[in-house]
Amino acid sequence: MDIIFLYLFLGVIAGVISGLFGIGGGVIIVPILIFTFSSQLFATEILTHMAVGTSLATIVITSISSIFAHHKRGLVVWPIVLWFSPGICFGAILGAIFAVSITGMLLQLFFGIFLCFIGVFIAKPANPSLTINMPGPLGKTIAGSVIGFFSSIFGIGGGSLSVPYFSWTQIPIKNAVATSAACGLPIAISGAIVYAIQGLNIDGLPKYNVGFIYLPAFFGIVITSIVFAKVGAKLAYQLPSEALKIYFSLLLLGIGIYFIWKNILFF
């Protein structure tokens, strides 16, 4: 029973962070799930894949709530979502297949590098002069595939990659965030399905799972993260955002360096 409360609390953290920074809770859900699953003595070979798969499954639900909120305000640029979605789904499927094919230690190492990249990106000032043109159909497919591929590997909704990309293509930031949230749904669905299927015949998985998706964590996170994402959004207008970004970036860098140090010793 205590572990259920832990997952509910994790949903609170993920929801608040998602609302505060607009990057999606997967960036923090995955590392905390890795630590939690380790404390539950889940098999080392599968716990990282379970953390990523479970994170993507939660994003399926939370992104729907986010999409409705943005759509009501007329901020989602739906033609862009439709153009990017085929590439996003293709990339997410490939990313999940790739992630499942590598060891948990290597996946943690890659995730640590990714967290360091995101931590540095959040901390550095934005560069409004950096702009590119929105690509044609082939370019949209390629860009969507890249975003989907890496998002599915790391169990995130893609906001860390798609928001800056859409901003660089001169989409206003509010529309970029809303459109990114809509693009997160095909990423999460495609990736979660692959993690669920690929984990069906894996030995050593705990009870109450669907493949690499651990249901107690899924339900606990979903229940609270949807509610507290709204709390995070309100706090974003009341707290010193620049200082918060620095603290959060340091947290991500610390976790990222830990994963790199922990797993690079095995190579």
Side-chain angles (χ1 to χ4, degrees):
M1 184 60 68
D2 290 344
I3 203 68
I4 296 297
F5 286 110
L6 177 61
Y7 291 133
L8 289 169
F9 182 64
L10 173 55
V12 172
I13 296 174
V16 170
I17 287 174
S18 176
L20 269 174
F21 302 105
I23 64 171
V27 169
I28 201 69
I29 288 174
V30 173
I32 295 182
L33 281 180
I34 290 173
F35 295 138
T36 304
F37 291 162
S38 296
S39 70
Q40 291 180 258
L41 303 179
F42 290 173
T44 305
E45 296 78 11
I46 52 92
L47 67 86
T48 306
H49 298 92
M50 285 180 58
V52 174
T54 304
S55 175
L56 286 170
T58 65
I59 292 169
V60 172
I61 307 301
T62 56
S63 67
I64 292 174
S65 174
S66 178
I67 289 168
F68 274 119
H70 288 303
H71 178 69
K72 284 182 180 179
R73 293 173 173 81
L75 296 174
V76 180
V77 185
W78 286 109
I80 291 179
V81 177
L82 295 176
W83 272 111
F84 273 79
S85 289
I88 280 174
C89 291
F90 177 72
I93 291 170
L94 288 183
I97 292 173
F98 171 75
V100 172
S101 71
I102 63 178
T103 66
M105 289 186 295
L106 187 57
L107 184 56
Q108 282 191 31
L109 177 61
F110 289 158
F111 188 71
I113 295 170
F114 176 74
L115 285 182
C116 290
F117 169 79
I118 296 299
V120 171
F121 181 82
I122 290 174
K124 74 180 185 64
N127 183 4
S129 64
L130 178 60
T131 60
I132 58 176
N133 294 322
M134 178 63 73
L138 179 60
K140 290 184 179 73
T141 300
I142 294 173
S145 297
V146 172
I147 291 171
F149 180 80
F150 287 104
S151 299
S152 185
I153 290 175
F154 302 124
I156 63 174
S160 305
L161 304 175
S162 53
V163 169
Y165 178 80
F166 289 145
S167 298
W168 293 334
T169 58
Q170 304 175 58
I171 296 175
I173 185 60
K174 290 184 179 180
N175 298 99
V177 171
T179 304
S180 173
C183 289
L185 183 58
I187 290 173
I189 292 175
S190 302
I193 289 174
V194 174
Y195 279 97
I197 294 173
Q198 294 279 53
L200 288 178
N201 298 315
I202 299 295
D203 295 328
L205 289 173
K207 293 190 296 184
Y208 313 118
N209 67 288
V210 178
F212 284 120
I213 299 172
Y214 187 53
L215 295 180
F218 167 77
F219 286 112
I221 292 169
V222 165
I223 288 170
T224 51
S225 63
I226 293 176
V227 175
F228 280 87
K230 298 175 183 177
V231 175
K234 291 181 181 179
L235 288 174
Y237 293 99
Q238 301 172 4
L239 299 176
S241 59
E242 291 305 314
L244 284 172
K245 285 182 178 180
I246 295 297
Y247 295 143
F248 186 53
S249 68
L250 290 174
L251 173 63
L252 294 182
L253 283 168
I255 297 172
I257 291 170
Y258 168 77
F259 281 134
I260 293 171
W261 172 80
K262 172 187 173 185
N263 293 283
I264 204 169
L265 297 178
F266 293 94
F267 296 95

